[in-house]
Amino acid sequence: MMWGDGMGWGMGWMWIFWLLLILGTVVLVVVLLKAFTGGSGGGARQGGAAPPTGAGPRRSREILEERYARGEISTEEYRERLRTLEEGDR
């Protein structure tokens, strides 16, 4: 009689163990897929979203100013990129 009770508890813990193991594996696969495919999270890429195609120099300048204002780029980098944009306008 005692053997049957102990076996029941052991089987219950085994189900929980396997369920957690499978669930953990699924979560790991999803996280890895998002990391390698650049999923919604954008953590892998800095600078926010890319400008739409054909955005033009005005929008490029706005994006540069926004990044500088947020402190994402230094003053030196801002000036260098601004010079590059101005050379492209000519």
Side-chain angles (χ1 to χ4, degrees):
M1 181 94 167
M2 286 181 64
W3 180 261
D5 289 337
M7 190 69 154
W9 279 103
M11 292 299 286
W13 287 112
M14 285 297 281
W15 279 105
I16 292 172
F17 170 77
W18 285 108
L19 182 64
L20 290 175
L21 184 69
I22 291 170
L23 190 63
T25 304
V26 169
V27 169
L28 180 65
V29 167
V30 169
V31 168
L32 288 175
L33 282 174
K34 281 189 176 185
F36 286 119
T37 60
S40 65
R45 199 168 99 199
Q46 284 188 341
T53 305
R58 184 174 179 173
R59 179 64 185 139
S60 299
R61 185 178 300 228
E62 289 174 8
I63 292 170
L64 182 61
E65 290 170 355
E66 290 170 8
R67 291 188 64 199
Y68 180 65
R70 284 194 300 258
E72 293 178 7
I73 57 175
S74 67
T75 303
E76 181 180 304
E77 188 175 1
Y78 170 77
R79 289 179 180 156
E80 180 181 321
R81 291 180 183 217
L82 186 60
R83 256 192 317 271
T84 303
L85 283 175
E86 289 171 349
E87 288 173 2
D89 287 346
R90 296 179 189 164

